[in-house]
Amino acid sequence: LQISPYRDDTQECGGATLTFMDVTPLRESEELLSLFIEHAPAALAMFDPDMRYLAASRRWREDFGLDEHELIGHGHYQIFPEIPERWKNVHRRALAGEVICCDEDYFERQDGTVQWERWEVRPWDQGDGELGGIVIFSEYITARKQAEQALVASQATLEAALASMNDSVFITDTEGQVVDFNEALASVHRYASKDECFQTM
């Protein structure tokens, strides 16, 4: 609804002109977008040019422990004061129109815990070509990263155990192929290198 004063030929206010516009389609679009963001399977959040929250998915709130926080209208750096300068720089670049992705990155929280993420930052426009802000998509990969680190640690433990044994030891896969052995085995058979040993087994 828009109200404008109506003036006659003498410029006296003779009443008002009321202009009505049906905004139902617009409201339906906004509700649809809000529903999509809320229930998106990925963690995503939408920001204005000042990095204030416009929307955030349920997954975003869960992954970052924000269920008890009111986000809409609040600044991203207010919610996360520990955000590193390298990420702020990414946000500035995206606000200048760049799309930036990273397959593996870490986020150290204020309490010292480290979260690993895959993320993508994209600018969005308001439909008239004007920049509306940015959208951040994030995938929580901490469990995968911890599993990778545990595998590396167990491999190092196995190597140390093999190296400390005086008996000849070799390890095979399910098809009987040698996948590892210790120095004692190489020494007994007088192999010059592991490659030579692998070639004869």
Side-chain angles (χ1 to χ4, degrees):
L1 170 65
Q2 182 179 353
I3 303 175
S4 305
Y6 169 75
R7 299 184 185 279
D8 58 22
D9 294 337
T10 63
Q11 296 303 309
E12 291 292 320
C13 183
T17 301
L18 280 69
T19 304
F20 293 90
M21 181 175 66
D22 183 5
V23 296
T24 303
L26 177 60
R27 287 186 176 171
E28 288 176 349
S29 296
E30 289 176 349
E31 288 174 6
L32 187 61
L33 177 62
S34 177
L35 185 67
F36 169 76
I37 291 175
E38 173 66 15
H39 299 286
L44 65 93
M46 187 178 232
F47 302 90
D48 70 12
D50 296 317
M51 291 302 294
R52 290 188 298 258
Y53 278 87
L54 297 175
S57 69
R58 181 182 303 169
R59 183 68 176 273
W60 178 279
R61 296 193 302 272
E62 289 173 355
D63 284 359
F64 291 106
L66 299 172
D67 287 330
E68 304 302 318
H69 288 71
E70 175 58 45
L71 297 180
I72 308 307
H74 288 79
H76 189 42
Y77 307 140
Q78 175 189 353
I79 302 295
F80 293 109
E82 70 268 40
I83 283 181
E85 187 60 35
R86 72 178 192 280
W87 280 9
K88 291 179 181 179
N89 184 50
V90 167
H91 302 157
R92 286 190 289 268
R93 288 166 56 193
L95 285 167
E98 193 174 346
V99 175
I100 308 157
C101 308
C102 181
D103 285 334
E104 186 177 280
D105 201 355
Y106 68 93
F107 178 32
E108 186 170 349
R109 304 297 299 271
Q110 278 187 318
D111 62 4
T113 60
V114 174
Q115 289 181 246
W116 287 88
E117 302 173 42
R118 173 187 298 141
W119 52 258
E120 181 174 320
V121 183
R122 289 182 166 271
W124 65 274
D125 65 56
Q126 302 178 82
D128 57 2
E130 290 296 316
L131 180 76
I134 62 173
V135 178
I136 301 177
F137 301 86
S138 174
E139 182 184 355
Y140 191 68
I141 61 169
T142 301
R144 190 198 79 191
K145 191 66 180 175
Q146 288 172 340
E148 289 174 358
Q149 292 171 339
L151 182 61
V152 169
S154 65
Q155 183 66 30
T157 301
L158 176 61
E159 292 291 341
L162 284 174
S164 67
M165 293 179 180
N166 293 323
D167 294 328
S168 297
V169 177
F170 63 91
I171 301 171
T172 66
D173 61 20
T174 56
E175 297 177 352
Q177 297 295 315
V178 175
V179 294
D180 206 351
F181 59 90
N182 65 354
E183 290 298 325
L185 180 70
S187 175
V188 166
H189 293 281
R190 297 196 173 109
Y191 291 118
S193 68
K194 279 196 169 187
D195 286 341
E196 183 183 349
C197 183
F198 278 125
Q199 288 168 8
T200 59
M201 289 188 163

